[in-house]
Amino acid sequence: MKNQEDFIICRCENIHMSEIEEILQQGADNARELKLKSRAGMGFCASRTCGPFIESLTQDRDETPSYINLKSQPPIRTISMEDFIKEDFHD
């Protein structure tokens, strides 16, 4: 159980600050590594909400600016073949 002072960093993947701190203590020193180890930024919003915060947590830990920023992608929603076919016939 998380304590009351703990807060959610990534709402999409339900990642708490305590989990991020633990990964940082284990040696993660860039945003990409944090993302891969915690899944923060891999949810529906594609790191639009938590990405800037995660990058701000790690930017001072790496002395060289060689780390890779988190990649943002637009959200994708599935569409059924039936809806796809209907749209195709109307055009």
Side-chain angles (χ1 to χ4, degrees):
M1 184 87 181
K2 308 291 180 203
N3 63 30
Q4 289 181 334
E5 295 171 1
D6 202 6
F7 57 95
I8 293 178
I9 298 295
C10 178
R11 295 180 297 192
C12 299
E13 294 291 325
N14 198 29
I15 307 298
H16 288 80
M17 183 62 186
S18 60
E19 297 171 70
I20 298 293
E21 288 173 343
E22 185 177 318
I23 293 169
L24 287 170
Q25 289 173 357
Q26 293 172 356
D29 63 353
N30 61 55
R32 179 170 166 68
E33 194 172 350
L34 249 179
K35 178 182 176 181
L36 293 173
K37 290 183 177 181
S38 70
R39 292 201 46 82
M42 294 181 149
F44 186 71
C45 79
S47 79
R48 283 192 176 92
T49 304
C50 62
F53 181 72
I54 289 173
E55 287 180 352
S56 72
L57 283 175
T58 58
Q59 69 185 359
D60 60 340
R61 295 181 183 273
D62 193 358
E63 293 179 12
T64 60
S66 62
Y67 69 90
I68 301 169
N69 291 328
L70 296 177
K71 180 180 175 187
S72 293
Q73 295 178 336
I76 298 173
R77 295 184 188 243
T78 57
I79 183 169
S80 69
M81 289 302 288
E82 182 179 8
D83 291 337
F84 183 73
I85 291 170
K86 286 179 186 175
E87 292 294 321
D88 196 32
F89 284 128
H90 291 301
D91 291 339

